[in-house]
Amino acid sequence: MTAFITANFVPLLFAGLLFFLLTGFPVAFSLGATGLLFGFVGIELGMFPANLFQALPLRIFGIMQNDTLLAIPFFTLMGIILERSGMAEDLLETVGQVFGPVRGGLAIAVILVGALLAATTGVVAAAVISMGLISLPIMLRYGYNRTIATGTITASGTLAQAIPPSLVLIVLADQLGRSVGDMYAGALVPGLMLVGLYLLFVVIVSIVKPSWTPALPPEARIYREPNGASGHRSLIALLTVCGVAGYVWSMFHEGIINPMVGRDRPAPGDEVVIMSLTVASFLALALAVINRVARLGLLSRLAEQVTFVLIPPLVLIFLVLGTIFLGVATPTEGGAMGAAGALLMAVARGRLNMPLLKQALVSTTRLSSFVMFILIGSTVFSFTFNAADGHIWVEHLFDSLPGGALGFLIVVNVLVFILGMFIDFFEIAFIVIPILAPVAAKILPELMPGVPVDIVMIWFGVIIAMNLQTSFLTPPFGFALFYLRSVAARSDYKDRITGETIPAVTTAQIYKGSIAFIILQLIMVAVVIAFPQVVSDGLGDSAPKVDPDKALEQLRTGRDALQQMGSDPAGQAGKPERDPMQDLLDAVKGGEQKK
């Protein structure tokens, strides 16, 4: 019996964890209990030293001192304050009015607002419930296909997992031992590409099946000018002016910012985009304020409404991400600034009161405590796992897979996808990722030759984050599906505007609506795997570039100086027939050509 336990210790360790989880025991305590139980068994069997857990208190204290994890409560508080202050309702109404006149406009509005809520609230439940309460009745009122309506709402709510500043990206960066700022920079382009994929899908559906996504009728458009115009021309003119300003800034960004931050390398593309959008947003807000204060009447009601509702959260997003990408602030400091900005926005809107603040603080404390307890439990589990050389066991487990590194990546994604059907993304991040990270760091660099391991691991983290997003949509335990089910009509009801009877939304319709968007998310995962540059290009190369010609010139200058001082034996002996530094330069250039 002893020999069997010793030979199969790691599989038994996972079986013990699975047993605790199936009993319904909380995940954090299941991890801790499994680690302690098997740790003491291993000590009794002589597998581990008796002092195995002596360093555990220091590790737990180190977790409590981890500044990176402070970003979680800050961003959570920022999101809850913005969500409870009615930002989602205002955004959905305004963006719906902008895109409502075109087919599929309401679905486009839901996707765009979902992306904005993802970048501000970062909370899937808040996004899905808000859009389910506000948008779903409107979409059903005007004849939207139920599969498209429910799928768009649930999928857009899950964007909070992929678009920075995401809590998932913070946790993955911590578990992979990489920079949160780099994880944000790497995930920005894939997250925006996923939003674009959703929009493209809606546009295609609107063309192929126009009856599924009707436009808003004229009587439903509330922001009209006295002469009956919609006000879109004024809005387009404002966007054009601000877009030109943002483009001009992008041309001069490097020359302005590099001296300020003391950088001699080219500015990363994501930084340029974020800062250009920030400048354009500030300009739009300034023009709208001047127009209203001076009563110039140059902007339509729609343009003013869009500016005053849309721009403040956009500015907050861009400032938080911009300071992080510039290196001016750490993600923790950026989160603190975001939380302070959210409080100021709620005060400016007259919606911050003590009950709201208390509720936000309680919710933030609960989520932060939940994360910390899972992290402590996973640390206890990892003590026993590492003591049993579990990482070697996992590495050997993947050695026999066909396909090498690519096979490993595919199997890991299938594993995460299946686990996402049953357990929460936090639990996957804290249990699975620490086990796979050492193996990934050893195997995956062969897929990106010449790229630093840190960038490879950021790429791996972004792939996992995109995959974890599907966990909210996959039955049987897709949380986004449950959130929408909780607010969607369970019985037929009479619409308060049209007076018509609207049939109930069935659970099957909600589940069916998620299928197309799960496929779109998996396509995006495949794109990130096939084209790692969509992640790595946003990170740049932190290693300094060496110019061989400049290096040769510096070497020659130094040698000439030594000759003049009479301290260079080669100079005293006479110039050699071939300059050895030239040989060195030729070798360097020859190596570059081979690459």
Side-chain angles (χ1 to χ4, degrees), residues 155-173:
S156 300
T158 64
L159 289 170
Q161 306 308 304
I163 296 179
S166 162
L167 299 184
V168 175
L169 297 174
I170 295 173
V171 173
L172 286 173

Side-chain angles (χ1 to χ4, degrees), residues 38-305:
F38 278 83
F40 289 132
V41 169
I43 291 173
E44 290 297 320
L45 295 179
M47 296 178 60
F48 312 138
N51 60 354
L52 173 67
F53 293 115
Q54 283 187 359
L56 188 57
L58 291 176
R59 286 286 296 275
I60 294 176
F61 191 68
I63 293 172
M64 305 304 292
Q65 286 184 313
N66 189 342
D67 291 340
T68 301
L69 295 177
L70 270 177
I72 292 177
F74 283 140
F75 281 119
T76 303
L77 179 62
M78 166 184 163
I80 293 175
I81 290 291
L82 290 175
E83 184 263 328
R84 301 286 164 83
S85 64
M87 183 190 71
E89 290 86 343
D90 293 342
L91 284 173
L92 283 167
E93 178 190 285
T94 303
V95 181
Q97 289 294 315
V98 173
F99 292 98
V102 300
R103 292 190 182 277
L106 287 177
I108 292 173
V110 166
I111 293 170
L112 293 177
V113 172
L116 284 172
L117 293 178
T120 50
T121 65
V123 181
V124 173
V128 174
I129 290 173
S130 298
M131 292 190 292
L133 286 171
I134 301 163
S135 297
L136 186 58
I138 298 174
M139 298 172 88
L140 298 181
R141 176 185 305 155
Y142 296 114
Y144 261 69
N145 178 274
R146 289 165 177 258
T147 299
I148 297 298
T150 57
T152 302
I153 290 173
T154 53
S156 300
T158 64
L159 289 170
Q161 306 308 304
I163 296 179
S166 162
L167 299 184
V168 175
L169 297 174
I170 295 173
V171 173
L172 286 173
D174 179 72
Q175 293 301 298
L176 293 173
R178 265 63 191 182
S179 163
V180 177
D182 287 346
M183 191 68 77
Y184 280 177
L188 182 62
V189 173
L192 295 178
M193 288 175 65
L194 183 60
V195 174
L197 199 59
Y198 285 178
L199 294 173
L200 179 62
F201 172 72
V202 170
V203 170
I204 292 174
V205 170
S206 301
I207 295 173
V208 176
K209 292 284 187 179
S211 60
W212 286 10
T213 57
L216 275 181
E219 61 271 16
R221 302 168 197 172
I222 59 178
Y223 297 111
R224 286 190 171 275
E225 297 304 292
N227 61 0
S230 65
H232 280 81
R233 288 185 179 180
S234 174
L235 177 60
I236 293 172
L238 178 64
L239 292 176
T240 302
V241 170
C242 296
V244 171
Y247 177 76
V248 171
W249 172 269
S250 68
M251 297 293 99
F252 296 96
H253 172 86
E254 196 170 299
I256 297 173
I257 297 297
N258 277 15
M260 293 174 60
V261 299
R263 179 178 57 198
D264 56 1
R265 292 181 288 110
D270 49 13
E271 175 193 306
V272 176
V273 171
I274 290 293
M275 294 305 296
S276 299
L277 290 173
T278 304
V279 170
S281 300
F282 269 120
L283 178 60
L285 190 60
L287 292 176
V289 170
I290 293 171
N291 181 74
R292 175 168 292 187
V293 172
R295 298 182 179 179
L296 299 176
L298 298 176
L299 296 179
S300 63
R301 289 183 59 203
L302 180 64
E304 281 198 351
Q305 179 71 11

Side-chain angles (χ1 to χ4, degrees), residues 455-467:
I455 293 181
V456 175
M457 294 305 289
I458 293 293
W459 173 60
F460 177 66
V462 171
I463 292 172
I464 297 299
M466 302 293 290
N467 196 333

